[in-house]
Amino acid sequence: MASISGNERPDLRDLLAFYAAAGVDDALVDDPIDRFAESAQRQAAPAQQPVQAGEREAPRLGADRPAPPPPRPAAIAAVPDEAQAAAARELASKAASLDELKQIMADFDGCNLKATAKSMVFADGNPEADLMLVGEAPGRDEDLEGLPFVGRSGQLLDLILAAIGLDRKSAYIANVIPWRPPGNRTPTPHETEICRPFVERQIALAKPKVLVTLGGPSAKLLVGSQEGILRLRGSWKSHVTADGTVIPVMPTLHPAYLLRNPAHKKLAWRDFLEVKAKLRELGSH
Ligand code: URA
């Protein structure tokens, strides 16, 4: 980072790099707001006295300056509530194909996360694949590219898939939440309930032979358990679709967790060996 001394101005790229390193990676409105100009204007305008009849209003300093425009909201943010979740359930059930579902989700404005995300992250890989993996929610890289698991945890996921002889042409990858929560915060229970019908319909339409949930939130949602992921992982559970199809689910650790806890990679390795054996048992190539 360049040092700022005397009249020297910081290089804008350095300033942006500083913001990114400090965790500021989202602009919530398109046009910058000059808060200094706003407060200068407020200070310049003294509290208005009532004008007596016949008395001329004294000119106020700054009164001829146009009032600053009110800040523009980034988008209309829906309040996450049961009505939005009901609307999502109704809409998702109407999708007859993955393409239709993607369009329905793109048109849906009932999830506030859409207002701050740059893109909708629907899926990557092969929708015809026997194996479907479901993560939690897109991060910054996924939001920028519009694809799931393309950042560091995605690179690790690719290595894990390669270790059992698979890649993105032989697996289908999605998330519980298709819009990045601002600053990668944990999605609220309401946001998750709103997005649940979409991912459930996505699974029902993709019809995988085997599901792998990556991390605690997607395991809890898709197998309906309150247990922590370290207890849930490693043994077969089931996901039942709306039409009653039972899909075997292997809950495993999230690649981002494995990056932070490399000693637990051996647990994920065991889980994926189970997945490989199950796929073979079910006649998958
Ligand atoms: N983590 C997730 O759960 N999903 C992604 O797509 C990326 C990171």
Side-chain angles (χ1 to χ4, degrees):
M1 159 105 34
S3 64
I4 309 169
S5 61
N7 288 335
E8 203 183 314
R9 298 190 59 188
D11 187 310
L12 278 180
R13 272 169 309 199
D14 289 342
L15 192 55
L16 276 177
F18 169 76
Y19 281 147
V24 181
D25 54 8
D26 264 317
L28 293 183
V29 288
D30 290 337
D31 302 322
I33 299 166
D34 188 347
R35 302 277 181 211
F36 292 109
E38 281 182 10
S39 79
Q41 183 133 17
R42 269 196 304 278
Q43 280 163 14
Q48 214 168 346
Q49 300 292 327
V51 180
Q52 304 296 320
E55 194 184 333
R56 244 169 36 94
E57 193 177 357
R60 278 186 290 117
L61 210 60
D64 52 347
R65 251 191 269 158
R72 221 158 39 87
I76 297 156
V79 178
D81 64 9
E82 176 46 35
Q84 310 291 353
R89 283 196 291 276
E90 161 93 23
L91 288 166
S93 69
K94 290 194 179 129
S97 67
L98 287 168
D99 284 344
E100 264 185 47
L101 179 66
K102 186 176 179 183
Q103 191 56 54
I104 285 170
M105 289 164 64
D107 294 341
F108 180 70
D109 288 327
C111 184
N112 51 308
L113 295 176
K114 186 179 180 184
T116 46
K118 290 185 180 63
S119 30
M120 183 180 84
V121 176
F122 183 69
D124 194 19
N126 180 358
E128 308 282 315
D130 292 336
L131 175 66
M132 178 169 179
L133 302 112
V134 183
E136 184 183 4
R140 181 173 178 272
D141 296 321
E142 291 74 23
D143 188 35
L144 289 175
E145 287 201 32
L147 290 171
F149 286 99
V150 291
R152 279 187 70 222
S153 54
Q155 286 158 19
L156 178 57
L157 183 61
D158 287 344
L159 291 176
I160 294 172
L161 287 175
I164 59 163
L166 298 177
D167 58 19
R168 289 188 187 226
K169 293 193 198 80
S170 44
Y172 184 55
I173 307 173
N175 280 308
V176 167
I177 309 275
W179 297 285
R180 180 197 181 199
N184 295 350
R185 70 161 167 75
T186 303
T188 66
H190 260 124
E191 289 160 354
T192 305
E193 271 314 299
I194 291 169
C195 295
R196 172 207 279 271
F198 295 131
V199 69
E200 288 186 344
R201 189 74 188 133
Q202 197 170 4
I203 294 167
L205 290 166
K207 299 190 183 74
K209 286 185 177 161
V210 174
L211 258 180
V212 168
T213 54
L214 301 165
S218 70
K220 287 178 189 174
L221 191 84
L222 296 177
V223 306
S225 169
Q226 286 310 309
E227 276 197 301
I229 186 62
L230 286 169
R231 277 183 173 277
L232 268 180
R233 62 144 289 277
S235 58
W236 288 102
K237 308 281 186 291
S238 302
H239 174 75
V240 185
T241 65
D243 68 3
T245 307
V246 180
I247 303 173
V249 182
M250 174 55 69
T252 192
L253 302 168
H254 195 286
Y257 172 86
L258 297 176
L259 288 170
R260 295 192 302 272
N261 301 275
H264 280 175
K265 281 184 186 169
K266 58 178 181 288
L267 301 178
W269 174 234
R270 274 183 223 156
D271 301 344
F272 275 92
L273 286 181
E274 287 282 339
V275 171
K276 185 179 176 181
K278 178 69 84 183
L279 285 169
R280 200 165 282 167
E281 180 191 316
L282 296 174
S284 183
H285 29 276

